[in-house]
C-alpha cells in the first residue's frame, strides 16, 4: 500500500532502494519516520524458497505456470503480512501497538544458488525486503513498524507460503509428497536428483558438522561467511544446458 502512496511503481531502482534504507522519501528526500538514529534498523529480508523439486522443474521446463504459482503464493503471504503490520503507540501515556495494515517492500527473484566449484544449482527463491516504515492512520504520519512481530511469526508465514505453493502445484496436476509436517516435494522427482542439485546445502552442512554447529541461525551465518560471489556470466538457457 505504501508504494502507491509514495509514488513508487515498476522495477526497483538503486536510488529509491538506498533512499528507503536511509529512511528518506525517494521522491522528495524528506525523512519518513521521526526517529533517525545511527543504529536504526532499516528493514528485514524475508526469503521464500520453493522446494528443490519445484526449482528443478522450473529450471528444466521454464513453464510460466510454475512461476505464476510461486508468484501467487508469495503475493498472498505478503498480503497477509501487510495486514498484520503494527506500529507502537506512545502518545498520551499509552504503551500499546496499533494495527496499520500498510507495508512497503521490494522483491527480488533469484533462480540459482551461490556457485559451488564455479557453477550454481537451480534454486527458485524470492527476497522480499520489508522496509521499517508504516503509515499510522490515526496519527496520520509515517512511523517505524513493529518488525519484531513479523520476525517472531516467521515460521507461520513460511508454512503459509508453502501451503499455498503446494496447492498451486496440485492445481497444475502435480502430485505432492510430504516430508513430515513442514516440508514437501513434487511426487516423482527422485531423491538422488534433488540431492545432486543441492550441493550448496551439502557444503554448508558438511562445514557445520565439522565445526559442531547444529543451530539453524548459526548455520545461516556460516553460509553467509562461506558463500562464493555470484556469477552472472551465464544465462538460464546456458545453465540449463549444463544442468
Amino acid at each position: 500500500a505504501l508504494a502507491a502512496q509514495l509514488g513508487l511503481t515498476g522495477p526497483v531502482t538503486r536510488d529509491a532502494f538506498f533512499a528507503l534504507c536511509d529512511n528518506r522519501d525517494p521522491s522528495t528526500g524528506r525523512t519518513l519516520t521521526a526517529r533517525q538514529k545511527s543504529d536504526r534498523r532499516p528493514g528485514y529480508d524475508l526469503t521464500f524458497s520453493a522446494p528443490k523439486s519445484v526449482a528443478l522443474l522450473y529450471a528444466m521446463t521454464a513453464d510460466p505456470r510454475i512461476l505464476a504459482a510461486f508468484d501467487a503464493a508469495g503475493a498472498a503471504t505478503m498480503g497477509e503480512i501487510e495486514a498484520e503490520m503494527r506500529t507502537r503507540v506512545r502518545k498520551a501515556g499509552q504503551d500499546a501497538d496499533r494495527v496499520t495494515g500498510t507495508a512497503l517492500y521490494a522483491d527480488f527473484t533469484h533462480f540459482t544458488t551461490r556457485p559451488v566449484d564455479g557453477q550454481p544449482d537451480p534454486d527458485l527463491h524470492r527476497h522480499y525486503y520489508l522496509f521499517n516504515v508504516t503509515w499510522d492512520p490515526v496519527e496520520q504520519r509515517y512511523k517505524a513498524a513493529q518488525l519484531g512481530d513479523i520476525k517472531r511469526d516467521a515460521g507461520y508465514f513460511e508454512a503459509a507460503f508453502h501451503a499455498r505453493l503446494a496447492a498451486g502445484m496440485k492445481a497444475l496436476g502435480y502430485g505432492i509428497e510430504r516430508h513430515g509436517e513442514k516440508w514437501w516435494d513434487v511426487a516423482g522427482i527422485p531423491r538422488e536428483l534433488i540431492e545432486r542439485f543441492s550441493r550448496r546445502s551439502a557444503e554448508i552442512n558438511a562445514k557445520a558438522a565439522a565445526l559442531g554447529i547444529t543451530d539453524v541461525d548459526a548455520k545461516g551465518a556460516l553460509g553467509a561467511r562461506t558463500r562464493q560471489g555470484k556469477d552472472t556470466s551465464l544465462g538460464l538457457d546456458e545453465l540449463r544446458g549444463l544442468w
Side-chain angles (χ1 to χ4, degrees), residues 100-156:
T100 63
T102 56
L104 178 65
Y105 58 87
D107 62 89
F108 306 89
T109 307
H110 294 158
F111 300 94
T112 61
T113 63
R114 292 282 179 157
V116 176
D117 296 330
Q119 182 178 317
D121 288 334
D123 184 28
L124 177 58
H125 61 284
R126 178 168 295 154
H127 298 270
Y128 292 92
Y129 193 81
L130 182 63
F131 293 101
N132 187 11
V133 61
T134 189
W135 176 260
D136 189 324
V138 176
E139 298 179 24
Q140 288 287 296
R141 64 188 180 106
Y142 293 107
K143 294 171 61 177
Q146 283 287 58
L147 296 182
D149 292 349
I150 304 299
K151 177 68 174 175
R152 180 198 63 205
D153 296 335
Y156 164 77

Side-chain angles (χ1 to χ4, degrees), residues 7-62:
L8 298 170
T9 59
V12 179
T13 67
R14 181 184 296 266
D15 288 345
F17 187 88
F18 284 175
L20 291 167
C21 285
D22 291 337
N23 194 28
R24 292 184 289 109
D25 184 326
S27 299
T28 66
R30 295 174 182 170
T31 300
L32 285 174
T33 68
R35 295 191 177 185
Q36 185 70 311
K37 300 185 294 183
S38 59
D39 61 347
R40 175 184 173 276
R41 176 186 293 154
Y44 268 129
D45 175 20
L46 312 179
T47 306
F48 294 141
S49 299
K52 182 64 71 171
S53 56
V54 176
L56 281 169
L57 276 172
Y58 182 73
M60 301 311 294
T61 65

